[in-house]
Amino acid sequence: MTDRLLITSSPHIRAPKTVRGIMLDVVIALVPACVAAVIFFGVKALMVLVASTVSAVVSEYLYEKAVKRPVTVGDFSAVVTGVLLGLTLPPGVPLYVPIVGSAFAIVIAKQIFGGLGTNFVNPALAGRAFVLAAWPLHVTSAWLNPLTMDAATGATPLHAFKGGQAVGSLTDLLIGNRLGSLGETSAVAILLGGIYLLVRGVIDYRIPVAYLGTLGLGVFVFGKPGALFQGDPLRGILLGGALLGAFFMATDYVTSPVTPKGRTYFGIGAGLITLLIRYWGDYPEGVTYAILLMNLATPLIDRFVVPKYYGYMHDVEARRRAREGGR
Amino acid sequence: MKFISIMLAGVLTSNFIFMQYLGLCAFVGISEQFETALGMSGAVLFVMTFACTVAAAFEQFILVPFGLQYLRTIAYILVIAAFVQLVEIFLKKTAPSLYKALGIYLPLITTNCAVLGAAMLNVKNDYGILWGTVNGLAGALGWSLAILIFAGIRERWKFMKIPEVLKGFPLALVSTGLMSLAFLGFSGLFKTILK
């Protein structure tokens, strides 16, 4: 590295947290979801996950070699991006989709801007939005029936749920015995990972709580076609990709606000946009776009939601005190 | 209902920047600082809204009665140029620093394809004067939203180590692409209700 002298602003407190340590925690937290995906969808799910992860790591390595920057594959951030992208895809997807998606996520959404920390959208979500635009049919219809692993026809549970039909027992939803993307099937596995991250202090509770709370409230109010205040908030949260998004994608350090208040607004905004797209938009699910759009708004949130420092006074009050103090 | 549907289309679902790729030169050129972007948004808001009104009136009372539709582009540019001149005079007097910061991009609003595009689309969609004005306002609000978001993002780049070769326009265009990927999510919003 050329930078021998590193100049940064205070504070200069050192914490034992490193990028590598945090990313390793995220990888560990993703293990239950991956295991659940492989149990329910078998080898195909494993292939998708491996393809996207390997593609992410290899693209990062090749790009950094090509532009002669230090190789940062060892910090596991590429692994996290790859696994997350794999989890957003359906199990029956052709393997070039995760491969191209991961390469796009790493190179275009992250490395072009200078690597980890400079990207303004979550790379995994950008990759998903890209493959969704490029191969909409592959990404929204290559479902497999869980356990039997044959190609499924018909609507996903989320689709049926939006139409007001019954969608199976809560136990099935929690364990993951249903159609869906790799990472949206087993709610228990995702929650396990999410709780691990919360306990380890890797993520802040505000974003997931605000996000899922807003979404649940919205589903309760608008979730039932033709009637207000009769929706089923629990199924509204468990179906679709909201859990995975709330715990693993919306909480990305680089692309979410830094202030506690800002994080709450971020979660509420993502919840509202998810609802908007899920119920009134063209796409079956809005989690990807909701978080991407809030990523875009993050710099503005950080700009306008500034915590009051100790001793802060409103302008008028400050001027009055100054006047009186000057007697 | 028509008001809501035109507003929604202009701001989100067919945003000039992200969905129609119009008005990109000023969008990329002026978005390095939030305050300047805000000033530019104000200028575009004024010019686009009123140029749409006057252009639609021009169309209805002069071009169509005399069969001069083939002069439309020139006539519209003239109208827009007049409004840009107004803004220029106003800014030069009241906010010289903003006037300086906007530089060449302020007179360039004249040939801003978003402004001309809005006026042309009004003719194509047969909006008339009232709805044409609404459409101009909606388009300008969408354009402003886009540039303000983008200015927020670009302000951060000042503190980051951006690869030297990609600084400026190349990276701005790549990011615009990523942003429009995110705005794809709004496509078809409220389609079933508004139709």
Side-chain angles (χ1 to χ4, degrees):
Chain A
M1 213 40 214
T2 45
D3 294 357
R4 284 293 162 86
L5 184 65
L6 205 65
I7 304 169
T8 57
S9 63
S10 59
H12 296 130
I13 303 167
R14 281 191 168 270
K17 276 185 185 171
T18 58
V19 174
R20 190 188 154 95
I22 288 169
M23 291 297 169
L24 256 177
D25 266 345
V26 179
V27 172
I28 293 170
L30 282 169
V31 166
C34 296
V35 171
V38 174
I39 289 174
F40 283 112
F41 300 115
V43 184
K44 282 199 168 162
L46 190 66
M47 301 271 279
V48 170
L49 286 171
V50 169
S52 66
T53 311
V54 168
S55 163
V57 174
V58 169
S59 340
E60 177 138 313
Y61 179 81
L62 287 181
Y63 182 86
E64 283 174 337
K65 274 284 170 211
V67 299
K68 300 194 174 66
R69 269 213 302 266
V71 173
T72 57
V73 170
D75 71 7
F76 282 96
S77 63
V79 176
V80 168
T81 301
V83 175
L84 279 176
L85 178 70
L87 285 175
T88 65
L89 296 173
V93 80
L95 286 183
Y96 56 82
V97 173
I99 291 173
V100 174
S102 278
F104 180 88
I106 293 292
V107 176
I108 306 290
K110 190 175 93 176
Q111 285 295 346
I112 271 195
F113 297 94
L116 185 69
T118 52
N119 50 308
F120 67 94
V121 288
N122 181 302
L125 285 175
R128 177 178 155 81
F130 176 72
V131 292
L132 186 57
W135 298 286
L137 275 181
H138 287 330
V139 181
T140 55
S141 67
W143 312 114
L144 297 182
N145 281 319
L147 299 175
T148 56
M149 292 160 213
D150 46 357
T153 50
T156 62
L158 179 65
H159 195 80
F161 176 72
K162 285 197 290 186
Q165 299 159 20
V167 286
S169 68
L170 273 181
T171 356
D172 272 354
L173 290 185
L174 282 172
I175 298 170
N177 187 15
R178 61 179 162 113
L179 298 186
S181 300
L182 299 180
E184 66 180 26
T185 48
S186 177
V188 171
I190 302 278
L191 278 173
L192 219 62
I195 290 168
Y196 174 78
L197 289 183
L198 282 171
V199 170
R200 295 276 294 171
V202 174
I203 60 172
D204 186 8
Y205 70 91
R206 288 182 184 85
I207 291 176
V209 168
Y211 183 6
L212 297 175
T214 311
L215 184 64
L217 198 69
V219 171
F220 171 65
V221 177
F222 299 108
K224 196 167 168 124
L228 288 182
F229 297 105
Q230 287 179 18
D232 181 348
L234 206 54
R235 284 192 173 79
I237 292 174
L238 292 179
L239 286 164
L243 277 180
L244 183 70
F247 283 109
F248 290 97
M249 289 157 171
T251 51
D252 179 5
Y253 288 156
V254 182
T255 55
S256 65
V258 286
T259 59
K261 237 190 197 167
R263 287 178 178 170
T264 310
Y265 295 150
F266 182 95
I268 293 173
L272 289 177
I273 300 175
T274 305
L275 271 176
L276 210 62
I277 295 174
R278 195 190 269 188
Y279 286 103
W280 295 286
D282 264 355
Y283 291 95
E285 172 66 312
V287 174
T288 308
Y289 293 113
I291 300 175
L292 276 177
L293 287 162
M294 289 315 287
N295 285 166
L296 300 186
T298 295
L300 292 185
I301 295 177
D302 272 344
R303 188 186 171 95
F304 290 109
V305 183
V306 182
K308 286 180 184 168
Y309 51 87
Y310 182 68
Y312 170 88
M313 275 182 289
H314 194 269
D315 264 9
V316 180
E317 175 70 9
R319 249 178 274 142
R320 191 182 63 82
R321 295 240 184 125
R323 241 192 347 260
E324 285 173 5
R327 266 181 305 195
Chain B
M1 226 32 168
K2 194 169 181 183
F3 179 77
I4 299 174
S5 99
I6 291 179
M7 274 299 191
L8 200 70
V11 178
L12 299 179
T13 49
S14 45
N15 187 298
F16 269 121
I17 299 281
F18 296 135
M19 293 297 140
Q20 310 195 42
Y21 316 116
L22 291 174
L24 285 174
C25 46
F27 174 76
V28 174
I30 287 293
S31 51
E32 275 181 342
Q33 228 184 342
F34 188 80
E35 280 75 21
T36 343
L38 202 63
M40 190 66 176
S41 304
V44 168
L45 211 63
F46 173 79
V47 172
M48 213 162 178
T49 312
F50 291 108
C52 276
T53 317
V54 175
F58 229 68
E59 177 83 18
Q60 196 172 331
F61 298 119
I62 298 176
L63 295 185
V64 174
F66 295 103
L68 295 171
Q69 286 98 327
Y70 62 91
L71 285 177
R72 189 179 289 141
T73 313
I74 294 177
Y76 282 12
I77 294 261
L78 211 65
V79 170
I80 296 167
F83 277 105
V84 171
Q85 269 309 308
L86 256 172
V87 174
E88 263 202 271
I89 294 167
F90 178 75
L91 280 187
K92 211 173 182 174
K93 236 1 193 190
T94 55
S97 58
L98 179 64
Y99 178 79
K100 255 205 187 123
L102 291 179
I104 184 71
Y105 289 100
L106 190 58
L108 267 183
I109 299 179
T110 314
T111 52
N112 186 324
C113 31
V115 180
L116 185 64
M120 290 295 199
L121 285 174
N122 286 343
V123 179
K124 197 179 142 205
N125 292 329
D126 216 3
Y127 272 151
I129 297 178
L130 176 64
W131 295 118
T133 310
V134 173
N135 189 36
L137 177 69
L141 283 176
W143 195 91
S144 308
L145 176 76
I147 196 173
L148 291 180
I149 292 176
F150 193 39
I153 292 167
R154 278 186 91 169
E155 275 194 337
R156 289 195 163 183
W157 292 355
K158 283 179 205 151
F159 309 110
M160 290 172 180
K161 281 173 56 193
I162 303 292
E164 207 59 46
V165 274
L166 292 167
K167 249 181 198 164
F169 272 43
L171 213 53
L173 288 174
V174 172
S175 337
T176 312
L178 284 173
M179 290 163 80
S180 76
L181 212 52
F183 263 72
L184 264 185
F186 284 127
S187 56
L189 205 60
F190 294 115
K191 183 170 61 177
T192 44
I193 302 176
L194 292 171
K195 265 281 132 52

